[in-house]
Structures are given as C-alpha cells and as structure tokens.
C-alpha cells in the first residue's frame, strides 16, 4: 500500500520537484517521530505522503469535492482547501477512511484543538523536515523528540511570527489553536 501511495504522489508532483522532496522529507521525519513516540507508522506514513497531494490543483478543483460548510469556513483562508482536498483524494484513490489519518492531513496547516499524537507528528514534520531551512527547524525537531505538545506550540508560534513579518493577521481559528497548546503546555509545567 505505502509503495503504491509513494508512486501516486511522485506522479502527481512530478513537475514540482522541491515539493516532492519536501513530501519525502516529511515522510522520513514523521516516521522517525512515530518510532520515538511508539505511534502507528503506517498511518503516519500515509498521512505524510498525502498531505500536500492537492497543493497545486486549482482552487476550483480543490473545492469541487468539499462540503459547503468547509468551503464557507475557509473562504478567507483558501490555503486550507488543499489540505481538505487531499483527504478527499486519499479516500477516493485508496479507499482509506481512517479518521486519524484524514484529520492529520486536514489539519496539517494550523493543527487543531485536541489533536492526536499522529496529527501532531504530521504538523511538526511539515515544518521541520530537513529541507526546511528556517532557523527554528532543528530546534523544533529536537523538541519533538521529547515533547510533541511543546513542539506543536513552537510550530504554531513560528508560523504566526512568519505571518507577522508579512503583515498578515493570523486567522481567529489559528490563534485559538495556538493559545490552546500554550495552555496545554503551561498546565504540564504548573
Ligand atoms: Fe507540507
């Protein structure tokens, strides 16, 4: 199964070399984290390989199979559509309906409140795989080996800080998720 998923993704992203390298970087990193944290490697592998599957589809194609409430919810932040579209593709292409795998793909951009460890691993690996060159990437990976929640908070902070440098105000949902993980981590240390 994993081999045919790899083949399908490679074919889909064949004109986007850097993206394909990123996807395989996420896959390798996510597998390592899954081993360290004793998670289902197969689920992690599938989610990692498919998370950016719909990245270069037109917005029209991305939303064509999405529920109307999802389309409406992210109308101001259409970057989220590719994540939901990838889950639809996975369901249709490989008949995979495991909610944990699907959620890991759906919420890989911002995360979500109450993520499972598999979801956290995909969120984290997306931002710290070896092809990511920003300063915090290594630090986030090191943190993720020890504590997934703290690594999630760092990923979210880095992404919100990045938006700030671009003069973009983060979406309300994105901020709520970040604050939720800040609270989770404070709860652990208090
Ligand atoms: Fe990605």
């Amino acid at each position: 199964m994993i081999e045919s998923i790899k083949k399908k993704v490679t074919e889909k992203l064949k004109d986007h070399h850097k993206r394909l390298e990123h996807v395989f970087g996420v896959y390798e990193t996510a597998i390592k984290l899954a081993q360290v944290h004793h998670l289902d490697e197969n689920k992690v592998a599938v989610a990692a390989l498919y998370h950016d599957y719909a990245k270069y589809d037109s917005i029209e194609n991305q939303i064509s199979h999405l529920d109307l409430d999802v389309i409406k919810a992210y109308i101001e932040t259409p970057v989220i559509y590719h994540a939901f579209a990838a889950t639809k593709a996975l369901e249709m292409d490989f008949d995979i309906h495991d909610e944990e795998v699907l959620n890991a793909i759906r919420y890989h951009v911002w995360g979500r409140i109450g993520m499972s460890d598999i979801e956290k691993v995909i969120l984290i690996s997306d931002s710290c795989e070896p092809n990511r060159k920003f300063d915090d990437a290594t630090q986030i990976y090191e943190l993720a080996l020890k504590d997934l929640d703290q690594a999630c908070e760092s990923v979210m902070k880095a992404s919100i800080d990045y938006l700030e440098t671009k003069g973009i105000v983060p979406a309300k949902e994105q901020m709520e998720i970040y604050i939720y993980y800040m609270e989770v981590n404070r709860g652990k240390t208090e």
Side-chain angles (χ1 to χ4, degrees), residues 41-72:
E41 286 178 43
N42 202 52
K43 287 191 188 190
V44 165
V46 173
L49 289 168
Y50 242 68
H51 84 280
D52 273 343
Y53 186 82
K55 187 85 179 172
Y56 299 101
D57 292 353
S58 66
I59 291 285
E60 290 81 359
N61 276 335
Q62 287 177 2
I63 66 173
S64 60
H65 297 289
L66 301 187
D67 297 339
L68 275 178
D69 57 340
V70 172
I71 298 175
K72 279 189 207 156

Side-chain angles (χ1 to χ4, degrees), residues 19 22 26 51-52 108 126 132:
R19 181 62 53 180
H22 160 70
V26 174
H51 84 280
D52 273 343
H108 81 264
D126 192 25
R132 294 287 204 206

Side-chain angles (χ1 to χ4, degrees), residues 39 44 47 99-108 111-125 148 152 181:
L39 306 174
V44 165
E99 274 303 308
E100 203 172 12
V101 172
L102 299 179
N103 280 339
I105 298 173
R106 273 184 201 119
Y107 300 104
H108 81 264
R112 74 178 174 104
I113 287 171
M115 284 186 282
S116 73
D117 284 351
I118 286 179
E119 294 175 62
K120 291 173 197 169
V121 160
I122 299 302
L123 178 87
I124 294 162
S125 305
L148 294 176
C152 282
Y181 281 92

Side-chain angles (χ1 to χ4, degrees), residues 18 21 24 26 43 46-47 59 74 78 81 94 101 115 123-124 133 152-153 163-164 170 177 179 186:
K18 285 249 167 292
E21 278 176 13
F24 280 92
V26 174
K43 287 191 188 190
V46 173
I59 291 285
Y74 298 108
Y81 291 147
F94 290 95
V101 172
M115 284 186 282
L123 178 87
I124 294 162
K133 297 291 183 233
C152 282
E153 184 183 331
L163 290 179
E164 213 163 63
I177 298 164
I179 292 165
R186 277 187 203 173

